[in-house]
Amino acid sequence: MSASAGTGIRLHAPAPGWSIEADVVVVGSGVAGLTAALRCEAAGLTTVVVTKARLDDGSTRWAQGGIAAALGEGDTPEQHLDDTLVAGAGLCDEEAVRTLVTEGPDAVRRLIETGARFDETPDGALDLTREGGHHRRRIAHAGGDASGAEISRALVEAVRARALHTIENALVLDLLTDADGRTAGVTLHVMGEGQHDGVGAVLAPAVVLATGGMGQVFSATTNPHVSTGDGVALALRAGAEVSDLEFVQFHPTVLFLGADAEGQQPLVSEAVRGEGAHLVDADGVRFMVGQHELAELAPRDIVAKGITRRMQERGTEHMYLDGRHFGAEMWEHRFPTILAACRAHGIDPVTEPIPIAPAAHYASGGVRTDLHGRTTVPGLYACGEVACTGVHGANRLASNSLLEGLVYAERIADDIKRQHDGQRLHARVPAPVPQPPTPTHPLLPSEARFAIQRVMTEGAGVLRSADSLAEAAARLGRIHAEAVNSLAEDGKTAEPGVDTWEATNLLCVARVLVAAARRREETRGCHWREDFADRDDTHWRRHIVVGLNSDRTLATHTTPTANFPATTPQEQ
């Protein structure tokens, strides 16, 4: 496979008014991005961190449950591997999972050395808990249910202590490439006053995408407002491939705030069920008992489907999570964040069941990478939720996400260092190909964001069918065609700005997700087709890979087996 030449498609934006140079630019400031940045900086590489909001505003700090690793007595990486493969429903890359579970324990120990403080038992051991799909207690947590916030705090403090060059409140626009199609940096727009302002560029021969998820493509999600799929859309425009985007995990237990609630919704961690809370209907019946050997602790896709089925049977918009038997002391000590969120919305879990419903939570697919985080574009890496390493398969095992970000970020930094030491990285930043002065890709008006979210929630949510997906594809197609025709006929497009760039990125990832979901005619993991209720290993134990053509159409193909093809060799 030759180096990608890209699509030639770029977001319409002003020309960069400033630029800086670096060895590596890391885009994102969650566990994956900051781990990669710290590791690159420690290796002597000039590193710049770009983040869309503040350093600690990504998805990592919202993670409640914790980080999974075989750290407990009697637990082994092999057992962790088995649980991960089962959850992934036949589509995990076993070598990628083995890398994760084998390197995971030491990676967590290094995180602790960096300053993360996890909850301990009275004798000083890690206080490990259990979540859905795990047969052992292997989830390290912090502050009861504030694990992500503690991990984010430790990494942000380390970044500031090392005085890494950071650019906050910056939306990355597009990848810069040289004449040979190799990475040459990124363009970005900095919002507000600071050291840099407006559209600029960070020139670097290595770019690490750690931009997080795309939950904002749906009306209700646990993802923060900034999770608009920017990394996946950027990678597609740059000529990279994405895979498994149809596998969106809907968290089973999200605080139900009403049928019309939109945007980020409060998460009720799986750890609440791990500690013994029950899923019940309005009559108090535990409907997950008998549906799976682990009942409420079954893998998330099974629990989300169980809740949705019960909602359909009862004609209701939510179910309940009952943890009243915990008592006030346990709620206040073990789940203070969740308790406060519930009470802020007028619900007291100590005395009443919590109304819950599934909401978009985690993208198991993303930009396709190898075991070193390398994509199909030379010099472009991806890790964390934006990436598809093959670890999660058709459904992420609970609390494997923080571990994946940690392990693969370290592997990326090691690969960049290895190439730098071997002088395969350019001695100087390569000259990027100039960006077109006129719009080549129409921007959507900001209000299109809400239209896209409604389309996706109605047609590509927990329940999908040929009809619902065809309708979603048609509605998205009309949004796309209207913008394209307006640009072609009179040269008009929406004004460049954060809202219009985000809406345009959301449409890009929505079209890919729907295309993949229409092609996969089976039910597997967190992809649930009502018209194809069974898993079909004969025809569909394989991956759907999507790229973007230069005419903005999608290039979709299915791999011949469950194995990923190799990514482009990184000959930098």
Side-chain angles (χ1 to χ4, degrees):
M1 189 184 297
S2 60
S4 170
T7 63
I9 301 170
R10 299 288 184 270
L11 289 177
H12 181 42
W18 54 269
S19 67
I20 58 175
E21 293 189 4
D23 293 321
V24 187
V25 55
V26 176
V27 187
S29 60
V31 62
L34 294 189
T35 298
L38 285 166
R39 191 106 165 180
C40 284
E41 191 271 343
L45 298 167
T46 304
T47 305
V48 174
V49 177
V50 176
T51 187
K52 194 173 178 181
R54 296 189 306 272
L55 273 181
D56 61 353
D57 267 351
S59 293
T60 291
R61 77 181 182 99
W62 297 100
Q64 295 173 345
I67 187 165
L71 294 161
E73 185 177 352
D75 198 4
T76 64
E78 198 68 27
Q79 293 176 68
H80 190 182
L81 179 138
D82 289 343
D83 285 345
T84 301
L85 295 180
V86 169
L91 279 188
C92 295
D93 181 305
E94 186 166 339
E95 189 178 0
V97 178
R98 193 172 296 280
T99 298
L100 177 85
V101 300
T102 302
E103 298 182 7
D106 282 343
V108 172
R109 294 183 186 104
R110 284 189 288 273
L111 181 61
I112 293 171
E113 291 171 1
T114 301
R117 297 187 292 267
F118 291 99
D119 296 338
E120 297 180 345
T121 62
D123 62 0
L126 284 175
D127 183 16
L128 302 174
T129 191
R130 187 176 158 211
E131 293 182 356
H134 293 272
H135 283 79
R136 284 194 175 272
R137 299 178 77 89
R138 64 168 68 97
I139 316 300
H141 51 85
D145 59 357
S147 306
E150 170 58 20
I151 291 170
S152 180
R153 179 205 63 77
L155 290 171
V156 168
E157 284 190 6
V159 164
R160 288 177 174 153
R162 300 291 287 267
L164 261 71
H165 188 156
T166 61
I167 304 175
E168 296 180 286
N169 301 306
L171 172 63
V172 169
L173 302 175
D174 279 302
L175 188 76
L176 294 168
T177 54
D178 67 12
D180 296 322
R182 294 180 171 86
T183 292
V186 292
T187 55
L188 64 159
H189 173 77
V190 183
M191 301 163 266
E193 296 180 2
Q195 183 180 357
H196 309 288
D197 199 9
V199 174
V202 181
L203 306 177
V207 171
V208 181
L209 289 179
T211 51
M214 54 184 204
Q216 290 291 330
V217 79
F218 294 96
S219 296
T221 178
T222 63
N223 289 190
H225 188 77
V226 295
S227 297
T228 50
D230 307 317
V232 170
L234 175 151
L236 282 164
R237 290 192 295 271
E241 294 179 346
V242 302
S243 183
D244 297 359
L245 224 61
E246 68 272 32
F247 297 116
V248 176
Q249 189 176 75
F250 287 78
H251 198 288
T253 54
V254 176
L255 185 61
F256 181 74
L257 301 179
D260 296 328
E262 293 184 336
Q264 186 177 9
Q265 316 281 304
L267 176 67
V268 182
S269 171
E270 191 156 343
V272 177
R273 281 175 282 136
E275 296 292 353
H278 303 143
L279 284 167
V280 297
D281 60 21
D283 296 328
V285 176
R286 287 182 62 190
F287 54 87
M288 284 305 299
V289 175
Q291 290 199 37
H292 190 275
E293 61 166 335
L294 296 175
E296 284 94 350
L297 284 176
R300 290 179 179 179
D301 61 307
I302 294 171
V303 179
K305 290 170 189 174
I307 292 170
T308 305
R309 283 195 191 99
R310 195 66 162 191
M311 286 161 53
Q312 289 178 321
E313 292 167 4
R314 301 298 300 268
T316 61
E317 295 174 320
H318 64 86
M319 287 286 114
Y320 295 93
L321 185 64
D322 192 352
R324 289 176 291 178
H325 53 287
F326 288 175
E329 184 178 350
M330 181 171 174
W331 272 108
E332 291 165 3
H333 171 71
R334 181 68 178 87
F335 302 112
T337 308
I338 297 169
L339 178 64
C342 288
R343 285 177 170 170
H345 291 283
I347 299 153
D348 189 350
V350 177
T351 60
E352 59 187 318
I354 306 168
I356 54 88
H361 182 56
Y362 189 87
S364 293
V367 184
R368 191 167 75 79
T369 73
D370 64 9
L371 293 178
H372 300 282
R374 300 179 292 211
T375 73
T376 49
V377 175
L380 179 64
Y381 296 79
C383 57
E385 191 173 353
V386 71
C388 182
T389 63
V391 159
H392 304 307
N395 188 41
R396 174 182 67 101
L397 181 65
S399 289
N400 266 358
S401 50
L402 292 176
L403 189 71
E404 183 202 33
L406 191 65
V407 167
Y408 280 88
E410 291 188 345
R411 293 180 70 83
I412 285 172
D414 292 347
D415 190 72
I416 294 173
K417 180 181 183 300
R418 179 180 59 80
Q419 297 206 42
H420 184 273
D421 291 346
Q423 298 183 329
R424 282 191 291 255
L425 284 171
H426 299 295
R428 293 187 58 80
V429 175
V433 174
Q435 302 221 54
T438 56
T440 61
H441 190 39
L443 295 178
L444 299 182
S446 58
E447 59 268 21
R449 176 182 184 132
F450 305 105
I452 294 164
Q453 290 172 333
R454 286 192 292 273
V455 168
M456 294 300 289
T457 296
E458 293 168 10
V462 177
L463 295 174
R464 301 167 178 175
S465 68
D467 289 344
S468 77
L469 291 166
E471 175 65 16
R475 292 168 68 185
L476 294 174
R478 287 194 290 272
I479 295 171
H480 176 69
E482 186 175 325
V484 169
N485 292 338
S486 178
L487 178 62
E489 292 171 5
D490 52 26
K492 291 184 178 179
T493 186
E495 284 296 313
V498 174
D499 290 344
T500 58
W501 289 321
E502 286 185 335
T504 304
N505 286 338
L506 282 171
L507 178 62
C508 179
V509 297
R511 291 176 64 215
V512 174
L513 194 161
V514 169
R518 292 183 77 185
R519 178 171 285 217
R520 185 171 291 280
E521 295 181 334
E522 65 160 353
T523 288
R524 181 186 297 270
C526 49
H527 172 67
W528 188 10
R529 287 285 296 261
E530 292 181 282
D531 47 344
F532 293 96
D534 298 322
R535 172 171 155 176
D536 181 0
D537 279 353
T538 301
H539 299 98
W540 288 109
R541 190 164 178 255
R542 55 198 68 191
H543 302 276
I544 296 172
V545 178
V546 184
L548 188 64
N549 294 320
S550 57
D551 62 357
R552 293 183 290 274
T553 58
L554 301 179
T556 307
H557 72 273
T558 305
T559 61
T561 69
N563 297 323
F564 275 128
T567 57
T568 302
Q570 304 287 295
E571 296 174 356
Q572 297 165 306

